[in-house]
DNA sequence: TTGTATGCGTTATCAC
DNA sequence: GTGATAACGCATACAA
């Protein structure tokens, strides 16, 4: 538990100057094979680790990425975790650390981590349609990548799943199955009101496809208490035709509610959903999955390209395409 | 996009010395009301933020907590997210940031964040029964708090949910309902083999209670592909008595499988589970919930007590008690 | 109550 | 190919 060794200690043991130690570590100038060896041996012997703060101070970089994360959100925990995991792994592959910032710090969170030089770049998850953080990002001297698409993407780096395409796929699938009327179980009121940008995008995709396929839409909302039974009873009961249902939220609850109502998915009712891959599998749902891992990978590629200065011309918006996987909840 | 202001800039504008600015921010010595005002005004005017690296270098503290997180684990994403969220919020309340470290860096992750002086304390999630990180922690000059209970807790700070008590509650509930035989759907092989410490703890609780209540246990395992239908068919079909089932893993899949088998929970079969609160509600299960938020809160209390030097005598192990909530999956 | 001066452990610019 | 040395921005011991 004695004091941590510094590069000076390494230098002394290796019999070189401190700056040489630094150059061995950074590789920023040629080093003879013999001194490199002696330095590396000394480093190993002392289990020397460079002091991150000193490095940040002198080197003007932190080797850290800040991630602004909305814990309470329209996304499921699974989806959020997938984002965070993939981002963290990508960061480590490039020897960067991840600083977790809660979105409920608001725009100040972004200002803080950048102002304090805590990171070299920022990932903002779940940007709003009209998000102050987008305005701030344009003024910042470091890369900020958004997951989501705000209204005005000018000068921003945005990546996301193609929710509009997803909405269209879901409607098309039910239309192909012959449904002229489709019931949509949409997000609860509080989610819609928080202005998440993908709510309108998904909605647009659904509505355009419905118009194109001449499908009548009936929108329902998950109640605040997540008890969807009455909603689904209202939508599906007492019908002569076979109901077609799109689930956007409260998916496990909805599947269970249908079962309680005596409706077998794929038999008595066709169900398609927007969900994570895992949830769709667990519930056996024909679904469009939101591919958080693909999105994260592209986010980090773009982010490091910006840090490396190897980024091609600004893309502004990059969308991961939607695909539909058929499972037991629809009968073809 | 000009250079970030420093405390020297603040000092110049406020007409004081740089050290006075520092003391105003830290509150470590008395400052006259007038100078405090002028400094604070200057800070606001420049939107000054202290440089985290410089602060860490000079002040020997980072105001950051590292969290070592197992993304792929026996826990659900919900449970992991609850931990991370609660830890992050608690950290922010004390003006600390959170550094996310993936557990698959192994013990080196712990060495690295500490060696580089990236944090003032560490939280290690899901410690193994015999975890090298526990040995390392004992040698480190900063607080390390474990979520979980390794075999040898000597000199460690461990907190967790009382899995042993949980196991007993689940068995007792089914015994109270008159079940003389209980089928347990346990974790998949890979989870058990990863040596998570709560697997043996839960198992011990189940087995002791079963012995005490004279209940026969039949252990089953979730298959690698998570298709639990054959397992549950095997356990519950062709029986004259009413099956009693304990679910420890793959809970949504299991509930769906029972439904597919034509078994109504609470009517044809009594089901109790170890799960998150949310999952139990979604599935309507009588369950013991693992209270990740309570555990996290206690972890952070302990951690900051250690940082403040106000920690009472070492506790070594602190367990959050288990409670059972009855829902529709058991009929009393 | 305030100012001066030093050091924290790196990086990077000069010199050699 | 290597060694001095000056920043980097802040905290704090020492003066006043």
């Amino acid at each position: 538990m004695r004091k941590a060794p510094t590069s000076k200690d390494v230098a002394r043991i290796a019999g070189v100057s401190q700056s040489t130690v630094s150059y061995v570590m950074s590789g920023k100038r040629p080093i003879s094979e013999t001194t490199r060896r002696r330095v590396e041996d000394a480093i190993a012997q002392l289990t020397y680790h460079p002091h991150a703060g000193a490095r940040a101070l002198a080197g003007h970089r932190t080797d850290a990425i800040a991630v602004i994360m909305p814990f309470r959100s329209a996304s499921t925990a699974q989806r959020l975790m997938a984002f965070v995991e993939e981002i963290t792994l990508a960061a480590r592959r490039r020897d960067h650390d991840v600083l977790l910032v809660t979105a409920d710090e608001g725009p100040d969170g972004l200002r803080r981590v950048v102002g304090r030089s805590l990171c070299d770049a920022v990932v903002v998850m779940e940007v709003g349609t009209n998000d102050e953080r987008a305005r701030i990002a344009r003024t910042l001297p470091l890369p900020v990548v958004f997951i989501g698409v705000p209204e005005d993407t000018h000068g921003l780096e945005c990546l996301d799943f193609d929710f509009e395409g997803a909405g269209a796929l879901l409607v098309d699938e039910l239309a192909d199955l012959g449904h002229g009327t489709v019931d949509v179980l949409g997000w609860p009121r509080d989610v819609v009101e928080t202005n998440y940008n993908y709510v309108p995008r998904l909605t647009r995709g659904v509505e355009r496809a419905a118009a194109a396929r001449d499908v009548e839409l009936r929108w329902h909302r998950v109640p605040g208490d997540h008890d969807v039974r009455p909603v689904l009873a209202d939508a599906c009961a007492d019908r002569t035709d076979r109901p077609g249902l799109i689930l956007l939220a409260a998916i496990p609850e909805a599947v269970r509610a249908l079962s309680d109502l005596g409706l077998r998915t794929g038999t008595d009712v066709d169900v398609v959903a927007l969900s994570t891959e895992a949830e769709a599998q667990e519930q056996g749902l024909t679904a469009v999955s939101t591919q958080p891992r693909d999105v994260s990978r592209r986010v980090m590629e773009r982010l490091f390209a910006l840090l490396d200065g190897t980024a091609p011309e600004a893309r502004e918006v990059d969308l991961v395409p939607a695909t539909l996987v058929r499972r037991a909840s629809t009968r073809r």
Side-chain angles (χ1 to χ4, degrees), chain A:
Chain A
M1 189 148 141
R2 65 194 184 293
K3 218 167 108 295
T6 70
S7 58
K8 215 167 156 184
D9 299 321
V10 175
R12 194 168 27 72
I13 293 195
V16 300
S17 78
Q18 183 272 326
S19 68
T20 297
V21 175
S22 179
Y23 281 114
V24 166
M25 300 209 68
S26 71
K28 287 194 179 175
R29 82 178 183 190
I31 301 281
S32 77
E33 199 46 41
T34 57
T35 49
R36 148 165 294 116
R37 280 294 258 274
R38 294 171 47 185
V39 169
E40 280 170 351
D41 287 353
I43 287 176
Q45 181 185 330
L46 294 176
T47 62
Y48 161 75
H49 291 272
H51 187 289
R55 217 176 221 195
L57 183 56
H60 306 284
R61 35 182 299 214
T62 60
D63 291 351
I65 310 294
V67 176
I68 302 188
M69 172 147 181
F71 284 99
R72 309 304 175 92
S73 80
S75 297
T76 63
Q78 270 182 12
R79 183 172 145 86
L80 292 181
M81 281 287 302
F83 276 126
V84 176
E85 176 178 7
E86 215 61 50
I87 288 172
T88 307
L89 292 176
R92 280 305 317 147
R93 265 178 246 127
R94 294 286 309 258
D95 276 302
H96 282 243
D97 274 297
V98 166
L99 202 68
L100 204 58
V101 181
T102 59
D104 51 82
E105 257 191 88
D108 288 344
L110 180 52
R111 290 201 192 87
R112 184 174 62 81
V113 290
V114 175
R116 295 194 167 191
S117 301
L118 278 163
C119 58
D120 301 335
V122 185
V123 176
V124 179
M125 291 174 63
E126 289 200 354
V127 56
T129 306
N130 191 316
D131 198 311
E132 181 170 356
R133 296 172 299 182
R135 275 186 291 285
I136 297 173
R138 280 186 267 259
T139 75
L140 295 178
L142 47 67
V144 180
V145 180
F146 288 87
I147 299 182
V149 185
E151 205 165 36
D152 177 9
T153 59
H154 174 72
L156 301 180
E157 298 284 341
C158 305
L159 282 112
D160 205 353
F161 176 68
D162 180 8
F163 283 93
E164 186 166 346
L169 279 179
L170 294 171
V171 170
D172 283 341
E173 180 71 7
L174 291 179
D176 288 348
L177 290 168
H179 295 275
T181 303
V182 164
D183 288 276
V184 186
L185 183 61
W187 291 280
R189 177 172 301 280
D190 57 327
V191 167
V192 174
E193 283 173 354
T194 46
N195 204 20
Y196 289 125
N197 72 93
Y198 57 75
V199 174
R201 287 194 284 143
L202 190 287
T203 306
R204 198 181 315 134
V206 167
E207 287 181 341
R208 285 192 184 162
R213 301 295 300 266
D214 203 23
V215 163
E216 184 198 350
L217 290 176
R218 305 200 301 188
W219 290 89
H220 309 271
R221 200 191 280 296
V222 170
D225 61 2
H226 276 216
D227 182 4
V228 294
R229 234 158 313 197
V231 179
L232 293 181
D234 180 47
C236 302
D238 305 323
R239 286 174 62 162
T240 55
D241 60 334
R242 174 193 181 82
L245 189 58
I246 297 180
L247 302 180
L248 303 179
I251 289 172
E253 290 91 340
V255 170
R256 193 159 140 264
L258 288 173
S259 159
D260 289 353
L261 292 169
L263 294 170
R264 292 158 297 175
T265 62
T267 305
D268 306 315
V269 52
D270 283 318
V271 179
V272 297
L274 178 73
S275 74
T276 59
E277 196 82 41
E279 198 163 50
Q281 272 180 30
E282 282 170 6
Q283 308 286 348
L285 293 173
T286 293
V288 175
S289 301
T290 55
Q291 309 300 353
R293 292 177 193 279
D294 281 349
V295 173
S296 299
R297 274 190 282 269
R298 290 209 202 181
V299 164
M300 296 308 275
E301 272 170 28
R302 183 122 207 114
L303 186 149
F304 280 116
L306 290 165
L307 283 177
D308 295 342
T310 63
E313 77 295 347
R315 280 298 255 346
E316 288 204 355
V317 181
D318 188 4
L319 297 180
V320 171
T323 58
L324 180 136
V325 176
R326 298 199 175 84
R327 295 194 182 80
S329 69
T330 50
R331 181 92 94 214
R332 283 197 83 75

